[in-house]
Amino acid sequence: MSNNKRNKKYTQDADGWNHPNSNVEDNTCTTNKSSTDPVTSTSKQIDYNYTVTLRVAPVEHGIKCYSSPWHTHQFTGINAFNYYFDYLLSKEEGFTLPNVWDGYFHVTLAKFRLDPKSNLEKTENDLVMRIKEKVLGSNQPSFKRIFPCRFRSDALNVHSGSGRHAEAENIDFVTLNIVDLENAFDKLRPFLDNIEDAVKAAHGIWQYKPSESYFTQAHVTVRKYKPDDDLQDWSYNHIRQYLVEQRVKDNPLEFQCVALDIAQTRRQARHRGTQTQWWAGVTGNFLDCATCGTQFNDESKGTCVKCHTRRQMYECSGCGKKGNEGKMWPGYCNNCGNYERLRPLWSTKP
């Protein structure tokens, strides 16, 4: 998403810093990174990793901000989370604090891994079939009685990146801790048990399962620090200086989760992109350099890797609109208004 400020879509009406040593991990796709590469990385040999997540839908369902018992603000559409922080920090360019793409906000509930030596497509199809059989054959209530479900946050935290891997190791990330307003976690636990059974039946490795202690750490990631970050932009010191933690506490927000998804990582999905369309909505397709014909790629960083000129680097897969010179895909298209998210392997709302 672009970090240039846009016309605002809302009406104007602690010193202490919590930096816990937690085992929280994250793989959210962010801005200020190549258009095709999320911040977390995998090893050179692909590991087939998947997450079970609650899908946050800020574009369609928006975010509510409670600035007082009598005043609320609604932020809806592309960059909804950015507009929330812009409202809190309008004089400090708060719009630029979140760098997660609109289609990648989520709450992680579990992770698992499938055998990379197996026939992956067949293993995935068998897994989906088992999940459908278990879910449809259970006596659990319909998903329609669970979604959409509401969550509230009044706490901003930074989590240690010690649990992340490769070049992302020890790179911290900023989160909004959440409170379940509708007992969704307990309602979803039987379905998670069904998914776990299906994964194990497919000879997958179930990495962790939510517990009561985990739910207290449940969060939505809004920013990631990367190895090449200019830490002058929203460094820890800046966040403390502008009292961001206190401002979030004084202006809690509420959002909705609309589905339970099983998805692979973006890098893994793109690696397999020749076999299937890995995205939902639209994505940015790399173009060839207009000067020398070399195709732009993840390493381009604004210029052609061969002739070093700034050219249009991508076009929208939906409407064909080309991006501005030297600009990578921001996760959405300014022209058609559609945005990118991962196509789930299985979902309660495809």
Side-chain angles (χ1 to χ4, degrees):
M1 92 193 50
S2 170
N3 279 334
N4 295 326
K5 292 184 71 172
R6 292 175 168 75
N7 294 330
K8 297 180 180 179
K9 299 181 181 179
Y10 57 80
T11 55
Q12 292 284 355
D13 201 341
D15 294 326
W17 181 251
N18 181 17
H19 193 171
N21 293 320
S22 72
N23 60 355
V24 177
E25 297 182 18
D26 189 83
N27 61 351
T28 312
C29 194
T30 66
T31 60
N32 299 327
K33 184 70 174 176
S34 72
S35 65
T36 57
D37 189 12
V39 173
T40 44
S41 64
T42 59
S43 60
K44 291 182 180 180
Q45 179 178 355
I46 294 295
D47 254 347
Y48 294 109
N49 297 299
Y50 302 80
T51 55
V52 184
T53 65
L54 291 176
R55 186 195 312 171
V56 183
V59 176
E60 296 84 2
H61 291 259
I63 299 167
K64 285 184 179 179
C65 167
Y66 294 88
S67 54
S68 78
W70 306 277
H71 295 96
T72 61
H73 307 273
Q74 180 85 20
F75 308 93
T76 305
I78 298 293
N79 293 327
F81 274 99
N82 299 75
Y83 284 114
Y84 165 73
F85 282 97
D86 187 48
Y87 168 71
L88 299 187
L89 301 149
S90 58
K91 295 181 180 179
E92 296 84 14
E93 293 292 323
F95 187 90
T96 63
L97 193 155
N99 65 357
V100 172
W101 291 357
D102 293 277
Y104 288 82
F105 288 104
H106 65 264
V107 179
T108 299
L109 298 181
K111 295 183 180 183
F112 64 89
R113 188 169 67 250
L114 296 179
D115 183 359
K117 297 179 182 179
S118 67
N119 182 329
L120 186 61
E121 185 173 355
K122 181 179 184 303
T123 300
E124 287 179 335
N125 290 336
D126 290 345
L127 174 62
V128 171
M129 181 182 68
R130 286 190 176 97
I131 292 174
K132 288 180 178 179
E133 289 176 349
K134 286 183 174 294
V135 170
L136 294 177
S138 69
N139 295 320
Q140 304 302 326
S142 168
F143 286 115
K144 293 181 180 179
R145 299 182 183 180
I146 302 176
F147 298 108
C149 49
R150 297 179 300 120
F151 293 86
R152 187 180 179 94
S153 176
D154 63 359
L156 185 89
N157 291 303
V158 171
H159 290 281
S160 169
S162 60
R164 301 168 73 191
H165 305 288
E167 69 264 22
E169 186 177 5
N170 296 321
I171 304 300
D172 300 340
F173 50 102
V174 182
T175 69
L176 292 168
N177 284 16
I178 62 173
V179 176
D180 181 359
L181 297 179
E182 298 180 345
N183 201 29
F185 288 146
D186 284 341
K187 294 176 183 177
L188 288 168
R189 193 181 295 276
F191 296 107
L192 293 174
D193 290 340
N194 291 334
I195 294 172
E196 179 183 4
D197 291 342
V199 168
K200 291 179 177 178
H203 306 290
I205 299 174
W206 189 259
Q207 291 182 276
Y208 69 78
K209 181 177 181 178
S211 62
E212 292 302 327
S213 61
Y214 171 81
F215 288 145
T216 64
Q217 299 184 55
H219 64 273
V220 172
T221 298
V222 294
R223 183 177 183 85
K224 289 188 177 182
Y225 297 105
K226 299 175 286 295
D228 56 353
D229 258 352
D230 177 3
L231 292 182
Q232 297 302 312
D233 295 332
W234 294 114
S235 66
Y236 299 161
N237 288 336
H238 278 85
I239 289 177
R240 287 197 297 265
Q241 176 184 347
Y242 296 131
L243 302 176
V244 180
E245 185 180 35
Q246 187 62 47
R247 296 192 193 201
V248 171
K249 183 176 180 180
D250 293 340
N251 298 269
L253 65 151
E254 182 181 303
F255 61 87
Q256 294 184 353
C257 290
V258 299
L260 182 68
D261 293 335
I262 296 177
Q264 54 192 325
T265 66
R266 188 175 189 268
R267 174 175 293 189
Q268 176 179 311
R270 287 190 59 253
H271 177 78
R272 304 172 61 201
T274 56
Q275 304 172 37
T276 182
Q277 180 175 311
W278 56 268
W279 73 88
V282 298
T283 191
N285 293 324
F286 281 125
L287 297 172
D288 293 336
C289 174
T291 300
C292 68
T294 302
Q295 188 178 55
F296 289 104
N297 57 38
D298 294 340
E299 306 303 320
S300 300
K301 298 184 184 301
T303 60
C304 175
V305 294
K306 184 175 182 180
C307 67
H308 307 293
T309 57
R310 290 172 61 87
R311 295 294 184 181
Q312 291 173 307
M313 303 175 66
Y314 71 88
E315 65 179 7
C316 174
S317 65
C319 67
K321 177 71 173 179
K322 296 180 180 179
N324 294 331
E325 289 187 354
K327 299 296 184 182
M328 300 295 281
W329 169 245
Y332 68 94
C333 176
N334 265 325
N335 185 59
C336 65
N338 293 313
Y339 65 96
E340 176 190 308
R341 66 178 176 87
L342 288 173
R343 183 179 296 280
L345 177 67
W346 174 85
S347 176
T348 59
K349 183 181 179 181

